[in-house]
Amino acid sequence: MITTVRGVRDILPEDVPSWRFLEESARAVFSSYGYQELRTPLFERTELFARAVGATSDIVEKEMYTFADRGGDSLSLRPEGTASVVRALIENNRQRVLPWAVYYMGPMFRYERPQKGRYRQFHQMGCELFGAEGPLADAEMMAMVLRLLRRIGVEASLTLEINSLGCAGCRGPYRARLFAFLQTHEAALCDHCRPRLPHNPLRTLDCKGEGCRAVAGKAPCMKDHLCGACADHFQGLTALLTAMELPFVVNPLLVRGLDYYNRTAFEVTTTALGTQNAVAAGGRYDGLVAEMGGQPVPAIGFAMGMERLVLLLEAAQVAMARPAFYLVAVGEAAGRRGLLLAEQWRNGGVPVTMDLLGGSLKVQMKRADRAGARFALILGEREMVQQTILLKNMTDGEQSSLAWNEVGWERLAALIA
Ligand code: HAM
């Protein structure tokens, strides 16, 4: 038997309602803030990710699905969305009509060690906003993320963490100080952090290794080394979050694993999913557009891990789309009549799941129950003779018999409004 590749999964029909609920909620929230959908290709030139995400980042060094196509070009499956969005902005000249506010959702690919909440093909939905420089944009984006998480009913276990990573001016001197500090504790660092110390000392701050965590706890903090403008930006952001009554914590160890960030970095973490605890993450990347060959344009964005949100939805047992009406028709004549009635109801927009497998009343009602139907519409032998249909509320068991000409779609629609 040929199976799926490690770290890659089917999304089975019973799970799809959670996914759609998530996607539809996100579209509604993102567009209510003025974001438009952008669809970028699943693969790009490898160089795009190397330059945008950073040649020495874990993603580019170890996690990309890179291959040569038949023409000999090096291509990679996208490991994240931001690089492609920046490319699309520049390539399509959108810098001339700022702001440009876009959202995207879809699969991303990283060769990581699979575990709960971490896969090799996973899905992100994210937003990128170009053109806005001040902390208003940062605060609004965080409010939008939290609004979406509230709307889907999973906010209970979540914390918004923020930090500032400074700018090109203040990060250099801080990096040098941090490097000097970490060098004096080199022996305590993990095998992963020690070799990358010279080129990526910041990553030790968010390493999960015990030794690294102990050292990081005593390390100098970026937020104590910010220049005046970066400190003002961060202070502006915290004041806005406080004014909006959005709870947050400042986490000086939040550094992010992609090289393009400056100033604001944020994550929404959960206590409900074990070690893969980030459900949303993002930050500012004011220098990236220019670095990728465009005009300098300030930018901020985030992405959310959809698998992780689906796990949270399941944990929170948020009621997913269940069939509103389940039509049970016993016998051939009832089947034919049922099909016609169901089509009439659907003409009026009423969702009806018809049992097409047939069998006894008992067997079909069992299937209605298993599907989680809110109402069953039953056409049995007696109903066929009387030209009626039995409407059963599956929650409280209450039943009523209605004549065929009384059950127009309006009547059914009113039941589920
Ligand atoms: P990231 O932190 O690499 O950031 O990923 C964002 C989110 O995607 C994570 O917080 C997590 O929920 C989810 N995620 C990442 N890797 C996996 C995986 N292997 N399996 C399941 N879920 C995963 C970015 O990708 C940036 N592009 C975010 C951003 C947008 N920054 C600015 N704009």
Side-chain angles (χ1 to χ4, degrees), residues 282-358:
R284 221 165 234 294
Y285 48 97
D286 296 328
L288 184 60
V289 178
E291 212 169 290
M292 300 303 287
Q295 303 293 320
V297 173
I300 181 166
F302 72 90
M304 305 171 120
M306 296 178 69
E307 280 78 2
R308 293 181 193 180
L309 292 173
V310 168
L311 284 168
L312 284 185
L313 283 175
E314 283 163 8
Q317 289 187 319
V318 175
M320 282 313 122
R322 323 182 267 157
F325 295 100
Y326 194 96
L327 177 61
V328 168
V330 186
E332 256 178 60
R336 281 192 297 274
R337 171 58 53 187
L339 188 67
L340 298 180
L341 285 169
E343 281 298 288
Q344 283 173 22
W345 298 325
R346 290 173 185 139
N347 286 343
V350 173
V352 185
T353 302
M354 180 168 177
D355 191 304
L356 299 172
L357 271 56

Side-chain angles (χ1 to χ4, degrees), residues 5-6 20 22 69 92 98 116-117 142 151 182 187 225-226 231 255 272 281 283 312 324 344 366 398 402 415:
V5 171
R6 189 163 128 82
R20 293 190 62 143
L22 200 58
D69 73 1
N92 297 289
L98 296 173
K116 185 178 175 192
M142 292 176 203
R151 180 175 170 137
L182 293 175
H225 294 80
L226 296 175
V255 295
L312 284 185
Q344 283 173 22
K366 219 170 170 176
E398 201 177 301
L402 302 167
L415 286 172

Side-chain angles (χ1 to χ4, degrees), residues 43-46 66-76:
F43 57 91
E44 302 262 10
R45 292 176 203 286
T46 302
T66 297
F67 57 96
D69 73 1
R70 286 170 192 273
D73 289 326
S74 177
L75 306 177
S76 294

Side-chain angles (χ1 to χ4, degrees), residues 8-187:
V8 168
R9 308 178 313 156
D10 297 311
I11 299 171
L12 295 168
E14 57 269 32
D15 298 325
V16 168
S18 304
W19 283 81
R20 293 190 62 143
F21 172 66
L22 200 58
E23 289 158 10
E24 283 156 18
S25 307
R27 284 177 201 287
V29 171
F30 297 161
S31 57
S32 76
Y33 280 75
Y35 286 74
Q36 292 180 307
E37 186 173 0
L38 171 70
R39 302 187 183 195
T40 64
L42 293 194
F43 57 91
E44 302 262 10
R45 292 176 203 286
T46 302
E47 197 194 342
L48 173 72
F49 302 116
R51 273 179 56 194
V53 178
T56 60
S57 63
D58 281 353
I59 293 179
V60 171
E61 266 189 349
K62 292 185 286 206
E63 296 170 3
M64 282 212 296
Y65 283 89
T66 297
F67 57 96
D69 73 1
R70 286 170 192 273
D73 289 326
S74 177
L75 306 177
S76 294
L77 298 184
R78 61 183 188 188
E80 60 104 51
T82 311
S84 301
V85 177
V86 168
R87 180 201 44 68
L89 168 95
I90 299 169
E91 194 170 342
N92 297 289
N93 247 321
R94 296 304 147 114
Q95 310 163 68
R96 288 192 316 207
V97 283
L98 296 173
W100 202 45
V102 294
Y103 74 85
Y104 52 87
M105 49 182 82
M108 308 288 163
F109 307 86
R110 295 184 194 175
Y111 192 83
E112 291 193 271
R113 199 167 48 76
Q115 62 184 86
K116 185 178 175 192
R118 187 163 74 192
Y119 311 96
R120 289 183 175 173
Q121 175 175 326
F122 62 99
H123 297 73
Q124 284 185 344
M125 45 195 199
C127 291
E128 313 289 347
L129 169 66
F130 298 91
E133 198 172 9
L136 270 184
D138 312 29
E140 188 200 60
M141 184 163 275
M142 292 176 203
M144 178 168 72
V145 169
L146 295 174
R147 181 180 298 278
L148 174 57
L149 294 168
R150 229 176 12 251
R151 180 175 170 137
I152 63 173
V154 301
E155 78 280 21
S157 67
L158 302 176
T159 308
L160 169 63
E161 299 183 21
I162 63 170
N163 192 22
S164 177
L165 302 176
C167 62
C170 52
R171 184 144 34 141
Y174 167 70
R175 226 177 104 119
R177 273 194 78 145
L178 179 66
F179 176 60
F181 171 85
L182 293 175
Q183 247 187 338
T184 60
H185 294 81
E186 206 173 336

